[in-house]
Amino acid sequence: MSNQKQQKPTLSGQHSKTRKRDEKERFGPTQFQDCIIQSLTETGTDLEAVAKFLDPSGAKLDYCRYTETLFDILVAGGMLAPGGTLADDMMHTDVCVFTAQEDLETMQAFAQVFNKLIRRYKYLEKGFEDEVKKLLLFLKGFSVSERNKLAMLTGVLLANGTLNASILNSLYNENLVKEGVSAAFAVKLFKSWVNEKDINAVASSLRKVSMDNRLMELFPANKQSVERFTKYFTEAGLKEFSQYVRNQQTMGTHKELQKELQEQMSRGDPFKDIILYVKEEMKKNIPEPVVIRIVWSSAMSTVEWNKKEELVAEQAIKHLKQYSPLLAAFTTQAEVLSEESILKWYKDTHVAKGKSVFLEQMKNFVEWLKNAEEESACEAEEGD
C-alpha cells in the first residue's frame, strides 16, 4: 500500500493572492522616499498637481508605515536628521514648504495640501501632529526664512482645525525660549492664526488646552513681564493679541489674590496680616476699587447663608460688621461701588438666595439713583 502512495495533485497555474497590505510592504524606507521625491519633482510647483498625486498614492505606498518620512519630505524636501538638518545621503526635492515663497498665500496653499491628504487618510492625523511637534523642537536647525514659513503654515493649520493648539507645548523648550526662537516663531504663528480667524477663536483654542495663561513663558524667566510682552507683540502688528494677554495676566493675578484671601479668612488669620498681604499685592498694579471688590467677594464666600430669607439681612449685617475693619483699610480714595454697578446688580446680577429681602430693602435707594441719573442727564443737555 505504501508503494502505491502518490503525491497529491496540484493545479497548474496556481498562485497566492497578494493583499494590498503585502504590496505596500515591498517598499523599504529608501524606496518609499525615492518614489515620493521623484513624483513630487515631476509635478513641479503646481500644488494642485501635488495634491492629485498624493491622494491616490496612499493605495500603493505605505503612508501608515512611513508617515514621518512623508511629512519630512513635504515640509523640508527630504529626510531630516536629528537637529533638523537634511540627510546628505538621501534624495532631496525643491517641492516643499521650506523652498517655497515666504508669504502667507503660499503657505495657505500648502495647508490645503495637508488638509486634503489628512482628510483622505485619517490615520495620518496623529502622525502629523507628532511631526509638527518634532519640527518645532528642531527650529534652531532651520534658517530664519524656514522658521517663518513653518510658523505661517502652522498658524493656518491651527486656524482650520487640522492641528490642535497642544502642539505649541514644544515651544516651551528651554533652549528655544532662552535664545528667543520661541518668541520670534510665536509672533509669525499668531499673526497668521489671527489673520485666518479672530482673537476670540484663538483665545478659545488656547483656553481649551490650558495655554491661555502660559504665553508669558515664551520669554526667558528674567524677561517675563506684561510690558515686555505687550511691546514685543504690538510692534509686530499684534496689538489686539497683546491686549488679550494683558487681560489674561490681570485676571490671573486677581484670581490668585482672591483665592489666597479666601484661604486666609477661612483660617481666621489676623486682619493686620491680611491687610499687609493685600497691600503688598497691590504693588502689582491692582487698583483700590478692584481690591475692594475682591475683598468683598472673599468675605461673602466665607459664610453659609441662612435659607430663611427673613434672617438673611440680619446675618449679612452681622457678617459685614465683622469684616468692616478689613474693608475700611482699602476704601481710602475711591468709590466702593459705582452707580452703574449698583443698578446692574439690582437688575440682573444678584444671586437668587435672599434676593427678595435685599431687593425690597434697596428699592427706594435704587429709585433715588435712577432719578438722580436722569436729572444729571437733563442738566447736561441744557448746558449744551
PDB file of all heavy atoms in Angstrom, residues 309-310 312-314 316 341-370:
ATOM      1  N   GLU A 309     -35.178  83.549  54.220  1.00  0.00           N
ATOM      2  CA  GLU A 309     -34.909  84.875  53.686  1.00  0.00           C
ATOM      3  C   GLU A 309     -35.035  85.983  54.728  1.00  0.00           C
ATOM      4  O   GLU A 309     -34.284  86.955  54.713  1.00  0.00           O
ATOM      5  CB  GLU A 309     -35.849  85.171  52.511  1.00  0.00           C
ATOM      6  CG  GLU A 309     -35.557  84.339  51.278  1.00  0.00           C
ATOM      7  CD  GLU A 309     -36.376  84.766  50.076  1.00  0.00           C
ATOM      8  OE1 GLU A 309     -37.270  85.616  50.255  1.00  0.00           O
ATOM      9  OE2 GLU A 309     -36.121  84.270  48.975  1.00  0.00           O
ATOM     10  N   GLU A 310     -35.955  85.812  55.687  1.00  0.00           N
ATOM     11  CA  GLU A 310     -36.163  86.873  56.665  1.00  0.00           C
ATOM     12  C   GLU A 310     -34.983  87.015  57.627  1.00  0.00           C
ATOM     13  O   GLU A 310     -34.852  88.029  58.330  1.00  0.00           O
ATOM     14  CB  GLU A 310     -37.459  86.629  57.459  1.00  0.00           C
ATOM     15  CG  GLU A 310     -37.457  85.346  58.283  1.00  0.00           C
ATOM     16  CD  GLU A 310     -37.950  84.124  57.515  1.00  0.00           C
ATOM     17  OE1 GLU A 310     -38.005  84.212  56.255  1.00  0.00           O
ATOM     18  OE2 GLU A 310     -38.283  83.134  58.146  1.00  0.00           O
ATOM     19  N   VAL A 312     -31.729  86.529  56.523  1.00  0.00           N
ATOM     20  CA  VAL A 312     -30.521  86.807  55.741  1.00  0.00           C
ATOM     21  C   VAL A 312     -29.993  88.207  56.004  1.00  0.00           C
ATOM     22  O   VAL A 312     -28.789  88.423  56.171  1.00  0.00           O
ATOM     23  CB  VAL A 312     -30.786  86.613  54.229  1.00  0.00           C
ATOM     24  CG1 VAL A 312     -29.594  87.103  53.417  1.00  0.00           C
ATOM     25  CG2 VAL A 312     -31.047  85.145  53.930  1.00  0.00           C
ATOM     26  N   ALA A 313     -30.903  89.203  56.055  1.00  0.00           N
ATOM     27  CA  ALA A 313     -30.468  90.589  56.250  1.00  0.00           C
ATOM     28  C   ALA A 313     -29.716  90.753  57.560  1.00  0.00           C
ATOM     29  O   ALA A 313     -28.657  91.384  57.626  1.00  0.00           O
ATOM     30  CB  ALA A 313     -31.674  91.523  56.203  1.00  0.00           C
ATOM     31  N   GLU A 314     -30.279  90.179  58.641  1.00  0.00           N
ATOM     32  CA  GLU A 314     -29.631  90.268  59.949  1.00  0.00           C
ATOM     33  C   GLU A 314     -28.263  89.579  59.929  1.00  0.00           C
ATOM     34  O   GLU A 314     -27.283  90.086  60.492  1.00  0.00           O
ATOM     35  CB  GLU A 314     -30.530  89.623  61.001  1.00  0.00           C
ATOM     36  CG  GLU A 314     -29.967  89.708  62.422  1.00  0.00           C
ATOM     37  CD  GLU A 314     -30.874  89.045  63.445  1.00  0.00           C
ATOM     38  OE1 GLU A 314     -32.040  88.740  63.086  1.00  0.00           O
ATOM     39  OE2 GLU A 314     -30.420  88.830  64.580  1.00  0.00           O
ATOM     40  N   ALA A 316     -26.358  89.156  57.304  1.00  0.00           N
ATOM     41  CA  ALA A 316     -25.441  89.930  56.466  1.00  0.00           C
ATOM     42  C   ALA A 316     -24.839  91.099  57.232  1.00  0.00           C
ATOM     43  O   ALA A 316     -23.643  91.373  57.154  1.00  0.00           O
ATOM     44  CB  ALA A 316     -26.170  90.427  55.226  1.00  0.00           C
ATOM     45  N   SER A 341     -22.713  99.906  38.724  1.00  0.00           N
ATOM     46  CA  SER A 341     -22.606  98.578  39.334  1.00  0.00           C
ATOM     47  C   SER A 341     -23.831  98.250  40.182  1.00  0.00           C
ATOM     48  O   SER A 341     -24.353  97.134  40.145  1.00  0.00           O
ATOM     49  CB  SER A 341     -21.341  98.502  40.194  1.00  0.00           C
ATOM     50  OG  SER A 341     -20.193  98.681  39.408  1.00  0.00           O
ATOM     51  N   ILE A 342     -24.286  99.234  40.942  1.00  0.00           N
ATOM     52  CA  ILE A 342     -25.451  99.008  41.805  1.00  0.00           C
ATOM     53  C   ILE A 342     -26.702  98.729  40.975  1.00  0.00           C
ATOM     54  O   ILE A 342     -27.458  97.790  41.248  1.00  0.00           O
ATOM     55  CB  ILE A 342     -25.686 100.234  42.715  1.00  0.00           C
ATOM     56  CG1 ILE A 342     -24.510 100.387  43.687  1.00  0.00           C
ATOM     57  CG2 ILE A 342     -26.998 100.087  43.492  1.00  0.00           C
ATOM     58  CD1 ILE A 342     -24.548 101.653  44.499  1.00  0.00           C
ATOM     59  N   LEU A 343     -26.917  99.533  39.938  1.00  0.00           N
ATOM     60  CA  LEU A 343     -28.097  99.349  39.085  1.00  0.00           C
ATOM     61  C   LEU A 343     -28.053  98.022  38.344  1.00  0.00           C
ATOM     62  O   LEU A 343     -29.077  97.354  38.182  1.00  0.00           O
ATOM     63  CB  LEU A 343     -28.210 100.520  38.098  1.00  0.00           C
ATOM     64  CG  LEU A 343     -28.505 101.889  38.729  1.00  0.00           C
ATOM     65  CD1 LEU A 343     -28.450 102.985  37.667  1.00  0.00           C
ATOM     66  CD2 LEU A 343     -29.870 101.885  39.423  1.00  0.00           C
ATOM     67  N   LYS A 344     -26.862  97.642  37.910  1.00  0.00           N
ATOM     68  CA  LYS A 344     -26.725  96.363  37.197  1.00  0.00           C
ATOM     69  C   LYS A 344     -27.006  95.201  38.143  1.00  0.00           C
ATOM     70  O   LYS A 344     -27.694  94.238  37.799  1.00  0.00           O
ATOM     71  CB  LYS A 344     -25.327  96.231  36.605  1.00  0.00           C
ATOM     72  CG  LYS A 344     -25.113  94.956  35.801  1.00  0.00           C
ATOM     73  CD  LYS A 344     -23.764  94.959  35.116  1.00  0.00           C
ATOM     74  CE  LYS A 344     -23.504  93.667  34.365  1.00  0.00           C
ATOM     75  NZ  LYS A 344     -24.509  93.384  33.336  1.00  0.00           N
ATOM     76  N   TRP A 345     -26.477  95.312  39.379  1.00  0.00           N
ATOM     77  CA  TRP A 345     -26.736  94.265  40.373  1.00  0.00           C
ATOM     78  C   TRP A 345     -28.238  94.147  40.650  1.00  0.00           C
ATOM     79  O   TRP A 345     -28.789  93.061  40.702  1.00  0.00           O
ATOM     80  CB  TRP A 345     -25.991  94.604  41.670  1.00  0.00           C
ATOM     81  CG  TRP A 345     -26.422  93.755  42.830  1.00  0.00           C
ATOM     82  CD1 TRP A 345     -25.979  92.512  43.152  1.00  0.00           C
ATOM     83  CD2 TRP A 345     -27.424  94.089  43.806  1.00  0.00           C
ATOM     84  NE1 TRP A 345     -26.627  92.050  44.267  1.00  0.00           N
ATOM     85  CE2 TRP A 345     -27.528  92.989  44.694  1.00  0.00           C
ATOM     86  CE3 TRP A 345     -28.231  95.202  44.021  1.00  0.00           C
ATOM     87  CZ2 TRP A 345     -28.406  92.979  45.779  1.00  0.00           C
ATOM     88  CZ3 TRP A 345     -29.115  95.193  45.094  1.00  0.00           C
ATOM     89  CH2 TRP A 345     -29.200  94.087  45.966  1.00  0.00           C
ATOM     90  N   TYR A 346     -28.894  95.288  40.820  1.00  0.00           N
ATOM     91  CA  TYR A 346     -30.316  95.293  41.151  1.00  0.00           C
ATOM     92  C   TYR A 346     -31.138  94.670  40.031  1.00  0.00           C
ATOM     93  O   TYR A 346     -32.123  93.957  40.279  1.00  0.00           O
ATOM     94  CB  TYR A 346     -30.784  96.731  41.401  1.00  0.00           C
ATOM     95  CG  TYR A 346     -32.200  96.835  41.921  1.00  0.00           C
ATOM     96  CD1 TYR A 346     -32.473  96.655  43.276  1.00  0.00           C
ATOM     97  CD2 TYR A 346     -33.272  97.118  41.058  1.00  0.00           C
ATOM     98  CE1 TYR A 346     -33.771  96.738  43.761  1.00  0.00           C
ATOM     99  CE2 TYR A 346     -34.564  97.199  41.535  1.00  0.00           C
ATOM    100  CZ  TYR A 346     -34.813  97.010  42.888  1.00  0.00           C
ATOM    101  OH  TYR A 346     -36.097  97.094  43.364  1.00  0.00           O
ATOM    102  N   LYS A 347     -30.692  94.904  38.789  1.00  0.00           N
ATOM    103  CA  LYS A 347     -31.482  94.449  37.642  1.00  0.00           C
ATOM    104  C   LYS A 347     -31.292  92.963  37.351  1.00  0.00           C
ATOM    105  O   LYS A 347     -32.262  92.229  37.176  1.00  0.00           O
ATOM    106  CB  LYS A 347     -31.122  95.265  36.405  1.00  0.00           C
ATOM    107  CG  LYS A 347     -31.928  94.901  35.172  1.00  0.00           C
ATOM    108  CD  LYS A 347     -31.520  95.767  33.980  1.00  0.00           C
ATOM    109  CE  LYS A 347     -32.316  95.372  32.737  1.00  0.00           C
ATOM    110  NZ  LYS A 347     -31.906  96.159  31.551  1.00  0.00           N
ATOM    111  N   ASP A 348     -30.027  92.510  37.288  1.00  0.00           N
ATOM    112  CA  ASP A 348     -29.872  91.133  36.799  1.00  0.00           C
ATOM    113  C   ASP A 348     -28.677  90.339  37.329  1.00  0.00           C
ATOM    114  O   ASP A 348     -28.525  89.173  36.960  1.00  0.00           O
ATOM    115  CB  ASP A 348     -29.786  91.119  35.260  1.00  0.00           C
ATOM    116  CG  ASP A 348     -28.720  92.043  34.728  1.00  0.00           C
ATOM    117  OD1 ASP A 348     -27.776  92.365  35.475  1.00  0.00           O
ATOM    118  OD2 ASP A 348     -28.826  92.432  33.552  1.00  0.00           O
ATOM    119  N   THR A 349     -27.822  90.893  38.192  1.00  0.00           N
ATOM    120  CA  THR A 349     -26.643  90.109  38.576  1.00  0.00           C
ATOM    121  C   THR A 349     -26.640  89.679  40.045  1.00  0.00           C
ATOM    122  O   THR A 349     -25.646  89.195  40.541  1.00  0.00           O
ATOM    123  CB  THR A 349     -25.344  90.905  38.297  1.00  0.00           C
ATOM    124  OG1 THR A 349     -25.369  92.121  39.055  1.00  0.00           O
ATOM    125  CG2 THR A 349     -25.190  91.203  36.832  1.00  0.00           C
ATOM    126  N   HIS A 350     -27.757  89.843  40.741  1.00  0.00           N
ATOM    127  CA  HIS A 350     -27.813  89.403  42.132  1.00  0.00           C
ATOM    128  C   HIS A 350     -27.981  87.884  42.195  1.00  0.00           C
ATOM    129  O   HIS A 350     -28.492  87.261  41.266  1.00  0.00           O
ATOM    130  CB  HIS A 350     -28.985  90.082  42.852  1.00  0.00           C
ATOM    131  CG  HIS A 350     -30.259  90.016  42.075  1.00  0.00           C
ATOM    132  ND1 HIS A 350     -30.703  91.062  41.291  1.00  0.00           N
ATOM    133  CD2 HIS A 350     -31.162  89.014  41.911  1.00  0.00           C
ATOM    134  CE1 HIS A 350     -31.850  90.718  40.707  1.00  0.00           C
ATOM    135  NE2 HIS A 350     -32.142  89.490  41.068  1.00  0.00           N
ATOM    136  N   VAL A 351     -27.551  87.292  43.301  1.00  0.00           N
ATOM    137  CA  VAL A 351     -27.735  85.848  43.474  1.00  0.00           C
ATOM    138  C   VAL A 351     -29.176  85.582  43.898  1.00  0.00           C
ATOM    139  O   VAL A 351     -29.851  86.441  44.450  1.00  0.00           O
ATOM    140  CB  VAL A 351     -26.761  85.289  44.536  1.00  0.00           C
ATOM    141  CG1 VAL A 351     -25.333  85.418  44.076  1.00  0.00           C
ATOM    142  CG2 VAL A 351     -26.946  85.994  45.867  1.00  0.00           C
ATOM    143  N   ALA A 352     -29.621  84.359  43.677  1.00  0.00           N
ATOM    144  CA  ALA A 352     -31.021  84.029  43.935  1.00  0.00           C
ATOM    145  C   ALA A 352     -31.338  83.991  45.433  1.00  0.00           C
ATOM    146  O   ALA A 352     -32.400  84.439  45.879  1.00  0.00           O
ATOM    147  CB  ALA A 352     -31.355  82.685  43.297  1.00  0.00           C
ATOM    148  N   LYS A 353     -30.363  83.471  46.248  1.00  0.00           N
ATOM    149  CA  LYS A 353     -30.637  83.280  47.666  1.00  0.00           C
ATOM    150  C   LYS A 353     -30.788  84.623  48.386  1.00  0.00           C
ATOM    151  O   LYS A 353     -29.902  85.466  48.348  1.00  0.00           O
ATOM    152  CB  LYS A 353     -29.500  82.473  48.291  1.00  0.00           C
ATOM    153  CG  LYS A 353     -29.779  82.037  49.729  1.00  0.00           C
ATOM    154  CD  LYS A 353     -28.649  81.175  50.267  1.00  0.00           C
ATOM    155  CE  LYS A 353     -28.619  79.833  49.563  1.00  0.00           C
ATOM    156  NZ  LYS A 353     -27.603  78.933  50.162  1.00  0.00           N
ATOM    157  N   GLY A 354     -31.924  84.830  49.037  1.00  0.00           N
ATOM    158  CA  GLY A 354     -32.158  86.050  49.808  1.00  0.00           C
ATOM    159  C   GLY A 354     -32.435  87.273  48.959  1.00  0.00           C
ATOM    160  O   GLY A 354     -32.461  88.394  49.465  1.00  0.00           O
ATOM    161  N   LYS A 355     -32.673  87.098  47.678  1.00  0.00           N
ATOM    162  CA  LYS A 355     -32.794  88.254  46.785  1.00  0.00           C
ATOM    163  C   LYS A 355     -34.005  89.137  47.105  1.00  0.00           C
ATOM    164  O   LYS A 355     -33.935  90.354  47.031  1.00  0.00           O
ATOM    165  CB  LYS A 355     -32.851  87.803  45.329  1.00  0.00           C
ATOM    166  CG  LYS A 355     -34.131  87.086  44.938  1.00  0.00           C
ATOM    167  CD  LYS A 355     -34.146  86.768  43.446  1.00  0.00           C
ATOM    168  CE  LYS A 355     -35.466  86.117  43.046  1.00  0.00           C
ATOM    169  NZ  LYS A 355     -35.522  85.811  41.612  1.00  0.00           N
ATOM    170  N   SER A 356     -35.124  88.513  47.459  1.00  0.00           N
ATOM    171  CA  SER A 356     -36.335  89.314  47.681  1.00  0.00           C
ATOM    172  C   SER A 356     -36.156  90.281  48.846  1.00  0.00           C
ATOM    173  O   SER A 356     -36.642  91.414  48.816  1.00  0.00           O
ATOM    174  CB  SER A 356     -37.536  88.400  47.922  1.00  0.00           C
ATOM    175  OG  SER A 356     -37.328  87.603  49.070  1.00  0.00           O
ATOM    176  N   VAL A 357     -35.441  89.843  49.886  1.00  0.00           N
ATOM    177  CA  VAL A 357     -35.213  90.702  51.043  1.00  0.00           C
ATOM    178  C   VAL A 357     -34.336  91.886  50.654  1.00  0.00           C
ATOM    179  O   VAL A 357     -34.656  93.047  50.912  1.00  0.00           O
ATOM    180  CB  VAL A 357     -34.549  89.907  52.194  1.00  0.00           C
ATOM    181  CG1 VAL A 357     -34.201  90.845  53.358  1.00  0.00           C
ATOM    182  CG2 VAL A 357     -35.475  88.796  52.673  1.00  0.00           C
ATOM    183  N   PHE A 358     -33.212  91.596  50.007  1.00  0.00           N
ATOM    184  CA  PHE A 358     -32.274  92.656  49.629  1.00  0.00           C
ATOM    185  C   PHE A 358     -32.893  93.612  48.600  1.00  0.00           C
ATOM    186  O   PHE A 358     -32.723  94.826  48.687  1.00  0.00           O
ATOM    187  CB  PHE A 358     -30.988  92.049  49.065  1.00  0.00           C
ATOM    188  CG  PHE A 358     -30.102  91.473  50.128  1.00  0.00           C
ATOM    189  CD1 PHE A 358     -29.719  90.146  50.085  1.00  0.00           C
ATOM    190  CD2 PHE A 358     -29.636  92.268  51.174  1.00  0.00           C
ATOM    191  CE1 PHE A 358     -28.905  89.614  51.063  1.00  0.00           C
ATOM    192  CE2 PHE A 358     -28.799  91.744  52.149  1.00  0.00           C
ATOM    193  CZ  PHE A 358     -28.430  90.405  52.105  1.00  0.00           C
ATOM    194  N   LEU A 359     -33.580  93.071  47.623  1.00  0.00           N
ATOM    195  CA  LEU A 359     -34.143  93.915  46.576  1.00  0.00           C
ATOM    196  C   LEU A 359     -35.201  94.864  47.144  1.00  0.00           C
ATOM    197  O   LEU A 359     -35.298  96.020  46.735  1.00  0.00           O
ATOM    198  CB  LEU A 359     -34.742  93.052  45.464  1.00  0.00           C
ATOM    199  CG  LEU A 359     -33.745  92.206  44.656  1.00  0.00           C
ATOM    200  CD1 LEU A 359     -34.481  91.438  43.558  1.00  0.00           C
ATOM    201  CD2 LEU A 359     -32.658  93.070  44.043  1.00  0.00           C
ATOM    202  N   GLU A 360     -35.995  94.375  48.073  1.00  0.00           N
ATOM    203  CA  GLU A 360     -37.024  95.224  48.686  1.00  0.00           C
ATOM    204  C   GLU A 360     -36.385  96.343  49.514  1.00  0.00           C
ATOM    205  O   GLU A 360     -36.817  97.497  49.467  1.00  0.00           O
ATOM    206  CB  GLU A 360     -37.929  94.371  49.585  1.00  0.00           C
ATOM    207  CG  GLU A 360     -39.050  95.139  50.244  1.00  0.00           C
ATOM    208  CD  GLU A 360     -40.007  95.774  49.240  1.00  0.00           C
ATOM    209  OE1 GLU A 360     -40.194  95.182  48.147  1.00  0.00           O
ATOM    210  OE2 GLU A 360     -40.547  96.861  49.535  1.00  0.00           O
ATOM    211  N   GLN A 361     -35.316  95.984  50.236  1.00  0.00           N
ATOM    212  CA  GLN A 361     -34.643  96.987  51.058  1.00  0.00           C
ATOM    213  C   GLN A 361     -33.896  98.021  50.211  1.00  0.00           C
ATOM    214  O   GLN A 361     -33.693  99.159  50.630  1.00  0.00           O
ATOM    215  CB  GLN A 361     -33.660  96.304  52.011  1.00  0.00           C
ATOM    216  CG  GLN A 361     -34.357  95.462  53.084  1.00  0.00           C
ATOM    217  CD  GLN A 361     -33.372  94.746  53.981  1.00  0.00           C
ATOM    218  OE1 GLN A 361     -32.202  94.623  53.651  1.00  0.00           O
ATOM    219  NE2 GLN A 361     -33.852  94.265  55.123  1.00  0.00           N
ATOM    220  N   MET A 362     -33.497  97.621  49.018  1.00  0.00           N
ATOM    221  CA  MET A 362     -32.735  98.511  48.138  1.00  0.00           C
ATOM    222  C   MET A 362     -33.639  99.325  47.209  1.00  0.00           C
ATOM    223  O   MET A 362     -33.165 100.214  46.505  1.00  0.00           O
ATOM    224  CB  MET A 362     -31.763  97.690  47.286  1.00  0.00           C
ATOM    225  CG  MET A 362     -30.598  97.099  48.059  1.00  0.00           C
ATOM    226  SD  MET A 362     -29.417  98.365  48.563  1.00  0.00           S
ATOM    227  CE  MET A 362     -28.729  98.817  46.973  1.00  0.00           C
ATOM    228  N   LYS A 363     -34.926  99.037  47.202  1.00  0.00           N
ATOM    229  CA  LYS A 363     -35.838  99.633  46.219  1.00  0.00           C
ATOM    230  C   LYS A 363     -35.811 101.160  46.225  1.00  0.00           C
ATOM    231  O   LYS A 363     -35.640 101.799  45.185  1.00  0.00           O
ATOM    232  CB  LYS A 363     -37.258  99.125  46.462  1.00  0.00           C
ATOM    233  CG  LYS A 363     -38.262  99.601  45.428  1.00  0.00           C
ATOM    234  CD  LYS A 363     -39.639  99.000  45.693  1.00  0.00           C
ATOM    235  CE  LYS A 363     -40.638  99.478  44.646  1.00  0.00           C
ATOM    236  NZ  LYS A 363     -42.001  98.917  44.895  1.00  0.00           N
ATOM    237  N   ASN A 364     -35.986 101.758  47.393  1.00  0.00           N
ATOM    238  CA  ASN A 364     -36.017 103.224  47.475  1.00  0.00           C
ATOM    239  C   ASN A 364     -34.691 103.848  47.058  1.00  0.00           C
ATOM    240  O   ASN A 364     -34.660 104.878  46.374  1.00  0.00           O
ATOM    241  CB  ASN A 364     -36.374 103.657  48.900  1.00  0.00           C
ATOM    242  CG  ASN A 364     -37.791 103.289  49.273  1.00  0.00           C
ATOM    243  OD1 ASN A 364     -38.644 103.120  48.399  1.00  0.00           O
ATOM    244  ND2 ASN A 364     -38.061 103.169  50.562  1.00  0.00           N
ATOM    245  N   PHE A 365     -33.606 103.213  47.475  1.00  0.00           N
ATOM    246  CA  PHE A 365     -32.286 103.734  47.131  1.00  0.00           C
ATOM    247  C   PHE A 365     -32.047 103.672  45.619  1.00  0.00           C
ATOM    248  O   PHE A 365     -31.532 104.620  45.016  1.00  0.00           O
ATOM    249  CB  PHE A 365     -31.211 102.933  47.873  1.00  0.00           C
ATOM    250  CG  PHE A 365     -29.797 103.353  47.543  1.00  0.00           C
ATOM    251  CD1 PHE A 365     -29.340 104.634  47.854  1.00  0.00           C
ATOM    252  CD2 PHE A 365     -28.922 102.477  46.921  1.00  0.00           C
ATOM    253  CE1 PHE A 365     -28.041 105.020  47.566  1.00  0.00           C
ATOM    254  CE2 PHE A 365     -27.633 102.856  46.616  1.00  0.00           C
ATOM    255  CZ  PHE A 365     -27.178 104.129  46.946  1.00  0.00           C
ATOM    256  N   VAL A 366     -32.439 102.581  45.002  1.00  0.00           N
ATOM    257  CA  VAL A 366     -32.266 102.415  43.558  1.00  0.00           C
ATOM    258  C   VAL A 366     -33.106 103.429  42.789  1.00  0.00           C
ATOM    259  O   VAL A 366     -32.649 104.019  41.801  1.00  0.00           O
ATOM    260  CB  VAL A 366     -32.618 100.971  43.120  1.00  0.00           C
ATOM    261  CG1 VAL A 366     -32.693 100.866  41.595  1.00  0.00           C
ATOM    262  CG2 VAL A 366     -31.577  99.984  43.663  1.00  0.00           C
ATOM    263  N   GLU A 367     -34.335 103.662  43.262  1.00  0.00           N
ATOM    264  CA  GLU A 367     -35.185 104.661  42.622  1.00  0.00           C
ATOM    265  C   GLU A 367     -34.544 106.046  42.699  1.00  0.00           C
ATOM    266  O   GLU A 367     -34.569 106.833  41.754  1.00  0.00           O
ATOM    267  CB  GLU A 367     -36.567 104.687  43.296  1.00  0.00           C
ATOM    268  CG  GLU A 367     -37.426 103.474  42.988  1.00  0.00           C
ATOM    269  CD  GLU A 367     -37.753 103.350  41.509  1.00  0.00           C
ATOM    270  OE1 GLU A 367     -37.920 104.390  40.834  1.00  0.00           O
ATOM    271  OE2 GLU A 367     -37.805 102.207  41.020  1.00  0.00           O
ATOM    272  N   TRP A 368     -33.957 106.356  43.856  1.00  0.00           N
ATOM    273  CA  TRP A 368     -33.279 107.651  44.026  1.00  0.00           C
ATOM    274  C   TRP A 368     -32.100 107.772  43.054  1.00  0.00           C
ATOM    275  O   TRP A 368     -31.902 108.819  42.439  1.00  0.00           O
ATOM    276  CB  TRP A 368     -32.801 107.778  45.469  1.00  0.00           C
ATOM    277  CG  TRP A 368     -32.002 109.037  45.697  1.00  0.00           C
ATOM    278  CD1 TRP A 368     -32.474 110.295  45.905  1.00  0.00           C
ATOM    279  CD2 TRP A 368     -30.577 109.133  45.709  1.00  0.00           C
ATOM    280  NE1 TRP A 368     -31.443 111.181  46.049  1.00  0.00           N
ATOM    281  CE2 TRP A 368     -30.256 110.497  45.936  1.00  0.00           C
ATOM    282  CE3 TRP A 368     -29.535 108.202  45.561  1.00  0.00           C
ATOM    283  CZ2 TRP A 368     -28.940 110.937  46.008  1.00  0.00           C
ATOM    284  CZ3 TRP A 368     -28.230 108.655  45.645  1.00  0.00           C
ATOM    285  CH2 TRP A 368     -27.936 110.010  45.860  1.00  0.00           C
ATOM    286  N   LEU A 369     -31.328 106.681  42.893  1.00  0.00           N
ATOM    287  CA  LEU A 369     -30.193 106.683  41.969  1.00  0.00           C
ATOM    288  C   LEU A 369     -30.652 106.935  40.532  1.00  0.00           C
ATOM    289  O   LEU A 369     -30.048 107.714  39.802  1.00  0.00           O
ATOM    290  CB  LEU A 369     -29.439 105.346  42.034  1.00  0.00           C
ATOM    291  CG  LEU A 369     -28.392 105.154  43.128  1.00  0.00           C
ATOM    292  CD1 LEU A 369     -27.730 103.788  42.965  1.00  0.00           C
ATOM    293  CD2 LEU A 369     -27.334 106.248  43.078  1.00  0.00           C
ATOM    294  N   LYS A 370     -31.730 106.269  40.147  1.00  0.00           N
ATOM    295  CA  LYS A 370     -32.241 106.427  38.782  1.00  0.00           C
ATOM    296  C   LYS A 370     -32.683 107.865  38.536  1.00  0.00           C
ATOM    297  O   LYS A 370     -32.387 108.446  37.485  1.00  0.00           O
ATOM    298  CB  LYS A 370     -33.417 105.475  38.547  1.00  0.00           C
ATOM    299  CG  LYS A 370     -33.018 104.015  38.419  1.00  0.00           C
ATOM    300  CD  LYS A 370     -34.241 103.151  38.178  1.00  0.00           C
ATOM    301  CE  LYS A 370     -33.872 101.693  38.005  1.00  0.00           C
ATOM    302  NZ  LYS A 370     -35.064 100.825  37.801  1.00  0.00           N
TER     303      LYS A 370
END
